[in-house]
Amino acid sequence: MVYRAIGLQSDISPGGLEIVFVEFQEQAGKWSFEVLHADNYAYPEEWKNRLANAASLSAVDYQALHADYGQYTGQQVNRFIEQYKLQYKVALIASPGHTVFYSLCLKIPVQAGDGAAVAAATHLPVVSDFFSVDHAMDGREKSRDTVMQKLGIGQGAAVESNALLNAFMGVLRWRQEFNVFAAETGAVRNSIGGALWTGQDA
């Protein structure tokens, strides 16, 4: 099976939204991949400031930011699709959002960027909110090494980007396979992480 997915990763230092378009192929349980396009869109100062100050917002203002940033993210994905002429080529988007804060003791991971808003803006299926189930089962939000191993990337090897790994986690969620692994997170069991928003098909 072949899956073509967009993966996202947000970082305000130095500041940008990383977007990759990756083709994954699975044959007899073995995975391979090729990064077809990649770019980084720098945040304007307004968004750098809004994201940097997100943790201090009231509940109402945070929800407004959450929705606004989802729409903004969707617009940037549309820009990427237009730039690289990817119309009708993208099966899904993996959008973990921008980490505002997380508390392991309270089991509250908080990522800004409403996946439903991304789906509404792009009309594409979106996987978001990867680690909520893991946190609920006492996990610590980490599956990088195991995901790399599933992709055939050796431990300690250089990886193009976290956006690539996010894209693969989205594909595993789409296939209803484990994408968060208790061996790394410390959770009571493996989980299928990610909320699925179906965009135009909703």
CSV table of all heavy atoms in Angstrom, one decimal, residues 125-157:
chain,number,residue,atom,x,y,z
A,125,PRO,N,-8.8,15.0,5.2
A,125,PRO,CA,-8.7,14.4,6.5
A,125,PRO,C,-7.5,14.8,7.3
A,125,PRO,O,-6.4,15.0,6.8
A,125,PRO,CB,-8.6,12.9,6.2
A,125,PRO,CG,-9.1,12.8,4.8
A,125,PRO,CD,-8.7,14.1,4.1
A,126,VAL,N,-7.7,15.1,8.6
A,126,VAL,CA,-6.7,15.6,9.5
A,126,VAL,C,-6.6,14.7,10.8
A,126,VAL,O,-7.7,14.4,11.4
A,126,VAL,CB,-6.9,17.0,9.9
A,126,VAL,CG1,-5.9,17.5,11.0
A,126,VAL,CG2,-6.9,17.9,8.7
A,127,VAL,N,-5.4,14.2,11.1
A,127,VAL,CA,-5.2,13.6,12.4
A,127,VAL,C,-4.5,14.5,13.3
A,127,VAL,O,-3.5,15.1,13.0
A,127,VAL,CB,-4.3,12.3,12.2
A,127,VAL,CG1,-4.1,11.6,13.5
A,127,VAL,CG2,-5.0,11.3,11.2
A,128,SER,N,-5.0,14.7,14.5
A,128,SER,CA,-4.5,15.6,15.5
A,128,SER,C,-4.6,15.0,16.9
A,128,SER,O,-5.1,13.9,17.0
A,128,SER,CB,-5.2,17.0,15.5
A,128,SER,OG,-6.5,16.8,15.9
A,129,ASP,N,-4.0,15.7,17.9
A,129,ASP,CA,-4.1,15.2,19.3
A,129,ASP,C,-3.6,13.8,19.5
A,129,ASP,O,-4.3,12.9,19.9
A,129,ASP,CB,-5.6,15.4,19.7
A,129,ASP,CG,-5.8,15.3,21.2
A,129,ASP,OD1,-4.9,15.5,21.9
A,129,ASP,OD2,-6.9,14.9,21.6
A,130,PHE,N,-2.3,13.6,19.2
A,130,PHE,CA,-1.8,12.3,19.2
A,130,PHE,C,-1.6,11.6,20.6
A,130,PHE,O,-1.7,10.4,20.7
A,130,PHE,CB,-0.4,12.3,18.5
A,130,PHE,CG,-0.4,12.5,17.0
A,130,PHE,CD1,-0.1,13.7,16.5
A,130,PHE,CD2,-0.7,11.5,16.2
A,130,PHE,CE1,-0.2,13.9,15.1
A,130,PHE,CE2,-0.8,11.6,14.8
A,130,PHE,CZ,-0.5,12.8,14.3
A,131,PHE,N,-1.4,12.4,21.6
A,131,PHE,CA,-1.0,11.8,22.9
A,131,PHE,C,-1.9,11.8,24.0
A,131,PHE,O,-1.6,11.5,25.1
A,131,PHE,CB,0.4,12.4,23.3
A,131,PHE,CG,1.5,12.1,22.4
A,131,PHE,CD1,2.0,12.9,21.4
A,131,PHE,CD2,2.1,10.8,22.5
A,131,PHE,CE1,3.0,12.6,20.6
A,131,PHE,CE2,3.2,10.5,21.7
A,131,PHE,CZ,3.6,11.4,20.7
A,132,SER,N,-3.2,12.3,23.8
A,132,SER,CA,-4.1,12.4,24.9
A,132,SER,C,-4.4,11.0,25.6
A,132,SER,O,-4.4,10.9,26.8
A,132,SER,CB,-5.4,13.0,24.5
A,132,SER,OG,-5.3,14.4,24.2
A,133,VAL,N,-4.6,10.0,24.7
A,133,VAL,CA,-4.9,8.7,25.3
A,133,VAL,C,-3.7,8.2,26.1
A,133,VAL,O,-3.8,7.6,27.1
A,133,VAL,CB,-5.3,7.7,24.2
A,133,VAL,CG1,-5.3,6.3,24.7
A,133,VAL,CG2,-6.6,8.1,23.6
A,134,ASP,N,-2.5,8.4,25.5
A,134,ASP,CA,-1.2,8.0,26.2
A,134,ASP,C,-1.1,8.7,27.6
A,134,ASP,O,-0.8,8.0,28.5
A,134,ASP,CB,0.0,8.3,25.3
A,134,ASP,CG,1.3,7.9,25.9
A,134,ASP,OD1,1.5,6.7,26.0
A,134,ASP,OD2,2.1,8.7,26.3
A,135,HIS,N,-1.4,10.0,27.6
A,135,HIS,CA,-1.3,10.7,28.9
A,135,HIS,C,-2.3,10.1,29.9
A,135,HIS,O,-2.0,9.9,31.1
A,135,HIS,CB,-1.6,12.1,28.7
A,135,HIS,CG,-0.3,12.9,28.3
A,135,HIS,ND1,0.4,13.6,29.3
A,135,HIS,CD2,0.2,13.1,27.1
A,135,HIS,CE1,1.5,14.2,28.6
A,135,HIS,NE2,1.4,13.9,27.4
A,136,ALA,N,-3.5,9.7,29.4
A,136,ALA,CA,-4.5,9.2,30.3
A,136,ALA,C,-4.1,7.9,30.9
A,136,ALA,O,-4.6,7.5,31.9
A,136,ALA,CB,-5.9,9.1,29.5
A,137,MET,N,-3.2,7.2,30.2
A,137,MET,CA,-2.7,5.9,30.7
A,137,MET,C,-1.3,6.0,31.3
A,137,MET,O,-0.6,5.0,31.2
A,137,MET,CB,-2.7,4.8,29.5
A,137,MET,CG,-4.1,4.5,29.0
A,137,MET,SD,-4.2,3.2,27.8
A,137,MET,CE,-3.2,3.9,26.5
A,138,ASP,N,-1.0,7.2,31.8
A,138,ASP,CA,0.2,7.5,32.5
A,138,ASP,C,1.4,7.5,31.6
A,138,ASP,O,2.6,7.3,32.1
A,138,ASP,CB,0.4,6.4,33.6
A,138,ASP,CG,-0.6,6.6,34.7
A,138,ASP,OD1,-1.0,7.7,35.0
A,138,ASP,OD2,-1.0,5.6,35.3
A,139,GLY,N,1.3,7.8,30.3
A,139,GLY,CA,2.4,7.9,29.4
A,139,GLY,C,3.0,9.3,29.4
A,139,GLY,O,2.4,10.2,30.0
A,140,ARG,N,4.2,9.3,28.8
A,140,ARG,CA,4.9,10.6,28.9
A,140,ARG,C,5.3,11.1,27.5
A,140,ARG,O,6.3,11.7,27.2
A,140,ARG,CB,6.2,10.4,29.6
A,140,ARG,CG,6.0,10.1,31.1
A,140,ARG,CD,7.3,9.7,31.8
A,140,ARG,NE,7.0,9.5,33.3
A,140,ARG,CZ,7.2,10.5,34.2
A,140,ARG,NH1,7.7,11.7,33.8
A,140,ARG,NH2,6.9,10.3,35.4
A,141,GLU,N,4.3,10.9,26.5
A,141,GLU,CA,4.4,11.6,25.2
A,141,GLU,C,5.7,11.4,24.5
A,141,GLU,O,6.4,12.4,24.2
A,141,GLU,CB,4.1,13.1,25.4
A,141,GLU,CG,3.8,13.8,24.1
A,141,GLU,CD,3.3,15.2,24.2
A,141,GLU,OE1,2.5,15.5,25.1
A,141,GLU,OE2,3.8,16.1,23.5
A,142,LYS,N,6.0,10.1,24.2
A,142,LYS,CA,7.3,9.9,23.5
A,142,LYS,C,7.1,8.6,22.7
A,142,LYS,O,6.8,7.6,23.3
A,142,LYS,CB,8.5,9.8,24.4
A,142,LYS,CG,9.8,9.6,23.7
A,142,LYS,CD,11.0,9.5,24.7
A,142,LYS,CE,12.3,9.2,23.9
A,142,LYS,NZ,13.4,8.9,24.8
A,143,SER,N,7.4,8.6,21.4
A,143,SER,CA,7.4,7.4,20.6
A,143,SER,C,8.3,7.5,19.4
A,143,SER,O,8.3,6.7,18.5
A,143,SER,CB,6.0,7.1,20.1
A,143,SER,OG,5.2,6.5,21.1
A,144,ARG,N,9.2,8.4,19.5
A,144,ARG,CA,10.1,8.7,18.4
A,144,ARG,C,11.0,7.5,18.0
A,144,ARG,O,11.0,7.2,16.8
A,144,ARG,CB,11.0,9.9,18.8
A,144,ARG,CG,12.0,10.3,17.7
A,144,ARG,CD,12.9,11.4,18.2
A,144,ARG,NE,13.9,11.8,17.2
A,144,ARG,CZ,13.8,12.7,16.2
A,144,ARG,NH1,12.6,13.3,16.1
A,144,ARG,NH2,14.7,12.9,15.4
A,145,ASP,N,11.6,6.9,18.9
A,145,ASP,CA,12.5,5.8,18.6
A,145,ASP,C,11.8,4.6,17.9
A,145,ASP,O,12.3,4.0,16.9
A,145,ASP,CB,13.3,5.3,19.8
A,145,ASP,CG,14.3,6.4,20.3
A,145,ASP,OD1,14.6,7.3,19.6
A,145,ASP,OD2,14.7,6.2,21.5
A,146,THR,N,10.6,4.2,18.5
A,146,THR,CA,9.9,3.1,17.9
A,146,THR,C,9.3,3.4,16.6
A,146,THR,O,9.4,2.6,15.7
A,146,THR,CB,8.8,2.7,18.9
A,146,THR,OG1,9.3,2.5,20.2
A,146,THR,CG2,8.1,1.4,18.4
A,147,VAL,N,8.8,4.6,16.4
A,147,VAL,CA,8.3,5.0,15.1
A,147,VAL,C,9.5,5.0,14.0
A,147,VAL,O,9.3,4.6,12.9
A,147,VAL,CB,7.7,6.4,15.1
A,147,VAL,CG1,7.4,7.0,13.8
A,147,VAL,CG2,6.4,6.4,16.0
A,148,MET,N,10.7,5.5,14.4
A,148,MET,CA,11.8,5.4,13.5
A,148,MET,C,12.1,4.0,13.1
A,148,MET,O,12.4,3.7,12.0
A,148,MET,CB,13.0,6.1,14.2
A,148,MET,CG,12.9,7.6,14.2
A,148,MET,SD,14.3,8.4,15.2
A,148,MET,CE,15.7,7.9,14.3
A,149,GLN,N,12.1,3.1,14.1
A,149,GLN,CA,12.4,1.7,13.9
A,149,GLN,C,11.4,1.1,12.9
A,149,GLN,O,11.8,0.3,12.0
A,149,GLN,CB,12.4,0.9,15.2
A,149,GLN,CG,13.6,1.2,16.1
A,149,GLN,CD,13.5,0.7,17.4
A,149,GLN,OE1,12.6,-0.2,17.7
A,149,GLN,NE2,14.3,1.2,18.4
A,150,LYS,N,10.1,1.4,13.0
A,150,LYS,CA,9.1,0.9,12.1
A,150,LYS,C,9.4,1.4,10.7
A,150,LYS,O,9.1,0.7,9.7
A,150,LYS,CB,7.7,1.3,12.6
A,150,LYS,CG,7.2,0.5,13.7
A,150,LYS,CD,5.8,1.0,14.1
A,150,LYS,CE,4.7,0.5,13.1
A,150,LYS,NZ,4.5,-0.9,13.1
A,151,LEU,N,10.0,2.6,10.6
A,151,LEU,CA,10.3,3.2,9.3
A,151,LEU,C,11.6,2.6,8.7
A,151,LEU,O,12.0,3.0,7.6
A,151,LEU,CB,10.3,4.7,9.3
A,151,LEU,CG,9.0,5.4,9.1
A,151,LEU,CD1,9.2,6.9,9.3
A,151,LEU,CD2,8.4,5.1,7.8
A,152,GLY,N,12.3,1.8,9.5
A,152,GLY,CA,13.6,1.3,9.1
A,152,GLY,C,14.7,2.3,9.3
A,152,GLY,O,15.8,2.1,8.6
A,153,ILE,N,14.6,3.3,10.1
A,153,ILE,CA,15.6,4.2,10.4
A,153,ILE,C,16.3,3.7,11.7
A,153,ILE,O,15.7,3.6,12.7
A,153,ILE,CB,15.0,5.6,10.7
A,153,ILE,CG1,14.3,6.1,9.4
A,153,ILE,CG2,16.2,6.6,11.0
A,153,ILE,CD1,13.5,7.4,9.7
A,154,GLY,N,17.6,3.5,11.6
A,154,GLY,CA,18.4,3.0,12.7
A,154,GLY,C,18.5,4.0,13.9
A,154,GLY,O,18.4,5.2,13.7
A,155,GLN,N,18.6,3.4,15.1
A,155,GLN,CA,18.7,4.3,16.3
A,155,GLN,C,20.0,5.2,16.2
A,155,GLN,O,21.0,4.7,15.8
A,155,GLN,CB,18.8,3.4,17.5
A,155,GLN,CG,18.7,4.2,18.8
A,155,GLN,CD,18.5,3.2,20.0
A,155,GLN,OE1,18.7,2.0,19.9
A,155,GLN,NE2,18.1,3.8,21.1
A,156,GLY,N,19.7,6.4,16.5
A,156,GLY,CA,20.8,7.4,16.4
A,156,GLY,C,21.0,8.0,15.0
A,156,GLY,O,21.9,8.9,14.9
A,157,ALA,N,20.3,7.5,14.0
A,157,ALA,CA,20.4,8.1,12.7
A,157,ALA,C,19.8,9.5,12.6
A,157,ALA,O,18.9,9.8,13.4
A,157,ALA,CB,19.8,7.1,11.7
